[in-house]
Amino acid sequence: FAVSKDKFGDYRIAWQEIARHFEACILPVKIPVKECGDVRVKTVIPHKTVYFVVEPNRSRAAKLLLYLNGGFARALLKLWAWSTRGGHYEHISGAVGHLPIPPQLLQYGVWGWLEEHIAGVEDERLNEALGRVFDENRERLARELMQALGVSEEEYEAVVEWGRWLNEQRRGAEAGNCID
C-alpha cells in the first residue's frame, strides 16, 4: 500500500471510499500547481480514502470507467461493500475487486465505437468527455453490456432498480422510517 512507481501508471481510475453510490474518475498522475508565481508540475498522491486501479491502455481505462459508473456495476458493488450510515457504502479495494468485469468489455468487441469519441480528447479533458459519452449513449452502453454479460433487459433493469431501492431502504431505516 506504499507509494511506488507502479502506481503512477498512465491512467488511474479512482474512487472515494465512502459514498451513497460508487463513482469513479480518471485521476491524473501530474498536475500543474502555482507556487510563488511559478507553475510547477507536481505528482498527485491521493489520500488513503481514495482508491484506484492503474490501467496503461487509454481505451480500456475509458471502458472500465464507464462500466464502473453504470447502474449495473454500482448495484453489484452493494453486494460486497460494507454499508454505513445514511445509505452510504464503503467502497474499499476488496469490495471493488469482487466486481465481475466482462472480458469482452476490456477487449475491442464491446464499446469499440468509444475510441472515436475520445480520439482527439486531451487527457486533462478525458473525464469530461467520458461524462458526455455516458449521458448521450446510456441506452447503447447498457444494451451492449447486457449482450456481453448474457443477461436480458429485464434482468439488467431488475439489478439496477434493486441498487436504487437498496439505497432508499437503508436511508429510510436510518431515519427511523423502517418498512416492515
Side-chain angles (χ1 to χ4, degrees), residues 15-99:
W15 62 91
Q16 64 186 18
E17 179 180 0
I18 297 176
R20 287 196 71 220
H21 300 285
F22 184 89
E23 197 169 23
C25 69
I26 294 182
L27 180 68
V29 174
K30 305 232 179 227
I31 59 169
V33 176
K34 191 173 185 176
E35 291 180 341
C36 302
D38 293 333
V39 176
R40 298 175 187 202
V41 177
K42 298 283 189 169
T43 302
V44 176
I45 299 175
H47 188 269
K48 65 182 179 181
T49 60
V50 174
Y51 294 83
F52 63 91
V53 294
V54 175
E55 173 53 58
N57 180 288
R58 186 175 204 241
S59 180
R60 286 172 50 131
K63 289 179 181 184
L64 185 57
L65 180 68
L66 290 175
Y67 174 65
L68 291 173
N69 283 336
F72 193 81
R74 284 179 175 174
L76 289 179
L77 279 169
K78 291 175 186 170
L79 292 171
W80 300 284
W82 296 343
S83 59
T84 63
R85 296 188 58 147
H88 289 73
Y89 292 86
E90 288 188 16
H91 301 109
I92 61 174
S93 57
V96 177
H98 279 89
L99 182 66

Side-chain angles (χ1 to χ4, degrees), residues 140-156:
R140 183 178 181 184
L141 291 164
R143 191 174 53 252
E144 290 182 26
L145 184 58
M146 285 181 241
Q147 186 177 7
L149 293 169
V151 298
S152 69
E153 184 174 352
E154 294 78 25
E155 293 167 325
Y156 182 90

Side-chain angles (χ1 to χ4, degrees), residues 96-118:
V96 177
H98 279 89
L99 182 66
I101 309 292
Q104 306 92 321
L105 183 69
L106 298 179
Q107 297 165 355
Y108 292 102
V110 177
W111 300 348
W113 52 269
L114 178 61
E115 189 60 41
E116 69 189 47
H117 288 278
I118 62 171

